[in-house]
Amino acid sequence: MNTPHVVASLSLVAFSISAFAGNDAHEHGRARLSLVQDDKGIAVTFESPLDNLTGFEHAPRTQAQRHALAEARAALQDAARVVVLPDAAGCALVAVEVALPFDAAAHAAQAEHADHAEHADALAEYTFTCDRPSAVTQVSVGLFRAFARLRHIDAEAATAAGQGKALLSATQATWKLPESR
Ligand SMILES: [Zn+2]
């Protein structure tokens, strides 16, 4: 009866990192990636202006825009296009949650309200359980390949070894995490 407990503790982690990810300024070309490692696994949160993913930040008006939104959702749902963890860690994806504004699935009233705002953000959360979480010493970030408008990611990690920050880009897409001493 171990598994329900594992999932519950990682959900709390995901909740707490999404709470702190909400503060920073919305800047096109830039996004945020947060990673929390505990003794059960890894939780990763990606937060980005929608413009980085689709090229617009309003309710889709054309078929091309609806298509771009669906493509962005599909890319974010595919965790392997977002982050790749070292094989040695033995990680398994247990949950993906993608929240895109103006999604077809979103409530119509919500989409209409949001259309009056000047900016819109997307959020995606990934939860992995790992046989050896401490073996996740680096993360290969695929977001720059998936989203050409994305230029920089401010990455923040909290692991057993400490806290770490990194500025990632298409040419620096391997994120080295703080290592155990
Ligand atoms: Zn914006």
Side-chain angles (χ1 to χ4, degrees):
M1 291 300 289
N2 223 0
T3 311
H5 172 73
V6 168
V7 172
S9 74
L10 283 167
S11 306
L12 280 177
V13 165
F15 174 77
S16 60
I17 55 182
S18 62
F20 94 74
N23 309 334
D24 263 29
H26 173 111
E27 182 185 334
H28 292 186
R30 250 181 139 93
R32 290 166 59 90
L33 198 58
S34 311
L35 179 148
V36 174
Q37 177 191 63
D38 68 12
D39 58 354
K40 305 292 195 300
I42 300 284
V44 176
T45 301
F46 174 62
E47 188 185 37
S48 171
L50 183 65
D51 183 83
N52 293 342
L53 315 181
T54 59
F56 60 90
E57 290 188 344
H58 52 72
R61 292 164 190 152
T62 65
Q63 193 57 39
Q65 289 176 345
R66 276 186 286 277
H67 182 71
L69 205 53
E71 288 272 287
R73 163 168 287 280
L76 291 177
Q77 290 281 2
D78 184 355
R81 290 183 68 184
V82 176
V83 289
V84 177
L85 306 178
D87 287 342
C91 296
L93 183 69
V94 292
V96 178
E97 202 165 322
V98 176
L100 283 186
F102 319 119
D103 211 333
H107 195 273
Q110 182 199 331
E112 192 176 320
H113 170 75
D115 202 23
H116 296 132
E118 288 186 17
H119 294 285
D121 291 285
L123 183 70
E125 299 184 319
Y126 308 86
T127 308
F128 301 86
T129 54
C130 305
D131 296 335
R132 289 167 298 281
S134 63
V136 182
T137 54
Q138 65 177 43
V139 176
S140 174
V141 175
L143 289 159
F144 299 104
R145 279 194 302 276
F147 302 111
R149 299 173 69 83
L150 183 59
R151 308 306 297 273
H152 294 102
I153 294 177
D154 294 296
E156 222 166 272
T159 74
Q163 310 252 334
K165 288 189 178 193
L167 180 63
L168 305 176
S169 64
T171 53
Q172 185 56 49
T174 299
W175 180 11
K176 307 243 186 244
L177 303 184
E179 296 212 38
S180 300
R181 286 171 288 263

